[in-house]
Amino acid sequence: MPLLLPVLLATLLFSIGIYGVLARRNAILVLMSVELMLNGVNLNFVAFDVYLRDSLLSGQVFTLFLITVAAAEIGLGLAIVLLVFRNRESAQLDELRDLREDDEEAVIS
């Protein structure tokens, strides 16, 4: 298989992810878009590893590390989004800009 097809698919995945991060307002959809971007990078790692016939399989090793980091990121991100949703009753990013508590005793000068 030529290298062009996986690279084009990875570029498409990464571009859709970039669009999702920039255009979406929901925190969960932004996390899903970040996952699309990471999957595009993973596809590039594996495609170039197969194309270059690397004896150390470094592209596949990087992909395994990236999958582990992505799983931790999505777990922690969803936990934060759920806690914010419980407290603020909204997962919209526009409404979450101000994360400090409204405390009348704290005077900001």
Side-chain angles (χ1 to χ4, degrees):
M1 175 168 34
L3 182 63
L4 183 64
L5 296 176
V7 170
L8 284 177
L9 180 61
T11 304
L12 180 68
L13 283 174
F14 194 82
S15 300
I16 292 171
I18 290 275
Y19 173 74
V21 167
L22 295 176
R24 299 293 177 195
R25 302 286 183 223
N26 192 341
I28 295 175
L29 292 178
V30 169
L31 287 173
M32 288 174 56
S33 298
V34 170
E35 289 295 320
L36 275 176
M37 292 168 56
L38 290 174
N39 285 332
V41 172
N42 284 339
L43 186 60
N44 266 335
F45 276 144
V46 172
F48 278 102
D49 182 53
V50 169
Y51 179 73
L52 297 174
R53 294 183 178 90
D54 187 16
S55 62
L56 296 176
L57 301 174
S58 58
Q60 294 178 22
V61 171
F62 279 136
T63 299
L64 287 176
F65 283 126
L66 195 56
I67 288 171
T68 305
V69 168
E73 174 257 336
I74 199 69
L76 187 62
L78 281 177
I80 291 171
V81 168
L82 285 175
L83 283 174
V84 168
F85 183 77
R86 284 183 186 170
N87 290 334
R88 303 282 177 141
E89 296 177 354
S90 174
Q92 301 298 323
L93 292 178
D94 290 341
E95 299 171 6
L96 301 177
R97 299 258 184 221
D98 185 26
L99 290 179
R100 67 177 170 87
E101 295 180 12
D102 293 330
D103 192 15
E104 295 177 12
E105 296 159 2
V107 178
I108 299 174
S109 54

